[in-house]
Amino acid sequence: MKELVFLTAAMWTALAGAAPAPHFMGPEDIARLHAVGDPQVDPSGTWVAYTVAGTDAVADKTITHVWMSRWDGGGSVQLTSRPKESETTPRWSPDGRWIAFISSRADDLEDDALWLLDRRGGEARKLQGITGSVADVVWSPDSTTLALIVGDPDPDRKANAAASAALPAAAKPGTAAPPTTSPDDAPPPSDSSKPDDKKPQPIVIDRFQFKQDIDGYRRTQRKRLWRYDLATSRATRLTTGDYDEALPAFAPDGRTIAFVSKHGSDPDRTYNWGIFTVAAGATAAEPHAVTTFEGDNADPDWESYPAWSPDGRSIAYLQGGPVKLFSYGVRTLAVIAATGGAPHILTTSLDRNVSNPSWTANGRALRFRVEDDGVERIAEVAISGGALRPVIGGARVFSAFAPGPKGHDAVLMTDPAHPAEVHALDRGHVRALSHQNDDWLKTVTLGAVARTRLRSRDATEVHGFVVTPPGAASAKPYPLVLFNHGGPQAQFDLSFNANWQILAGAGYIVVSSNPRGSTGRGQMFAAALYADWGGPAVPDALAAVDDAVARGLADPGRLFVGGWSYGGMLTNYLIASDTRFKAAVSGASIANVFAGYGTDQYIRDYEVELGRPWENAAAWARVSYPFYHNDRVTTPTLFMAGDKDFNVPLLNSEQMYQALRSRGIDTRLIIYPGQFHGLTRPSFLKDRMQRWLAWYAAHGGVSNVL
């Protein structure tokens, strides 16, 4: 056998040419990665469906398709493959015959539609009778109906998009051109009462929280719960009221649907997401409120569906921490009677965020993911309570858990050397089922990732990571990049991190800490940053730099810093607190927090955490010191942002850029047109890292980069 394999390999090499020598990861590799996600086990436990996102270089966009692999490892099949068209959210029908998925099928002006693919073969078909954009789908237990979350039609979206596309280039947003006529020369308003579909229409705002990244301006449109009957091709709205609804889940007998919504006189002002139920056959019915906790219950951002017990008598869900702490609080696992009442909290002593609960087949325990100090593991707890039992863990991240019949569970698993892939979870062990990145991994040499423990200025223990360049010599100090994570209520963990590897591949030691404000270390550790965004995080992050210098890993004369979102904010705090960095990159950040009020999506968080700016100006000024004490900043800084970002809008980067430019500090502002808070265009993702590296190189960093 060995001789046969050797000869076959030799023959292939002769035919195809020698394989390229492995290279260090660079910006160009971003387009070679495949993002695997959303595993779903079929009703027989034989197949696992999932999504695979890759880059279409010609279209300069990411395309997502649906794949499936045999749970026993017997092979993989690509189910959807139309060029330039994406499909997401694959969901098996309980009888195993159909896979439903969501797709706009290439027309960016069309709503996302629901499609059905027959497992026996043939083309997928679009389901008719649905008005609006489908956001989510679940099957009834008898496979005859589906529960949908559908966004209300936006009457202005197509008209505004078409009108914007028809404008001359110089008249589009982000461009400048002198007017051809003065305002006095403008024609009078039309007397016609009928809107012209080819002209943009006014945007009318009357909501408290009126902005949301990607969604844009929030108006009267809502995402609502509907029932779709396959036999009649008819969609029926299940509930009444003017509320957003999410995360539907059928009861085991199919007669009731649980879902998540936020009711009240003004839902925009509260965190009070709650569990509701409604009869599956209802029409515009008043739903029944199951939970009464005034804080978060199964917040849709957590992407954890209400989980019915096998007997249909109880619902498991996530309950948030204290209302005042919102995202700083720890999410716990709760079980409540399907009719309502007092919840039973099963993880009160855990002090870690949990997610994605699912019942064991016998209904005696729940399995769930645990975010824990740089990893994500899977654990189990009995319904009667008691200690957690480990299901699977280790120095890796389980970013999704998909239960299947007969113990045929699937997970999405990643570690520092491997992008996420679907694995079978088989009696406490994992087997790879998808292999989307295997070929690419053979072409790169990655930097080594090690965990660190260090002490901050006040002796608080801080945990983090150090990434060494591929082939690094231990005796040689390297230039260092302090790379900060977003959030701040998030953590760096042992998942594959392309940014770490690109920086390490360019020749930098990369250090990243999980400073106070990060999750994974408990509620008190996260809440230490409350209303003090630059406070303890600055010395915690600097401790990672000091540690690398003290260990001889980093050259103290060649220190650099950067990050995106809160990582960019922390970069601003750092360069306003410490002048030793030779250059900085601040992406999608804010420094003058006063400017965030009313211009971004965080109005509720601002008023809870900082108070209103005119009533508590001192708190707002304290977290805005990088702008109001801009005279402390001497570090050359590159600012980057998307011009459509409603999360941390462009104006914040513009202000900080302008302040440094006014003072003569070396600075530059890069604006990515048409991009939201997270960049998605592949050419921009590559461009961002090329400019990042070039900025460092121009200020004393590694020079052998593009």
Side-chain angles (χ1 to χ4, degrees), residues 212-217 601 644-647 676-678 680:
Q212 184 72 38
D213 197 36
I214 302 177
D215 289 345
Y217 289 106
Q601 65 187 34
K644 302 298 184 185
D645 189 347
F646 274 7
N647 188 313
F676 303 109
H677 191 60
T680 57

Side-chain angles (χ1 to χ4, degrees), residues 92-114:
W92 298 95
S93 61
D95 63 9
R97 177 179 174 182
W98 306 95
I99 294 180
F101 62 83
I102 296 172
S103 177
S104 64
R105 288 280 162 148
D107 188 344
D108 293 335
L109 296 182
E110 288 294 330
D111 292 320
D112 286 330
L114 185 63

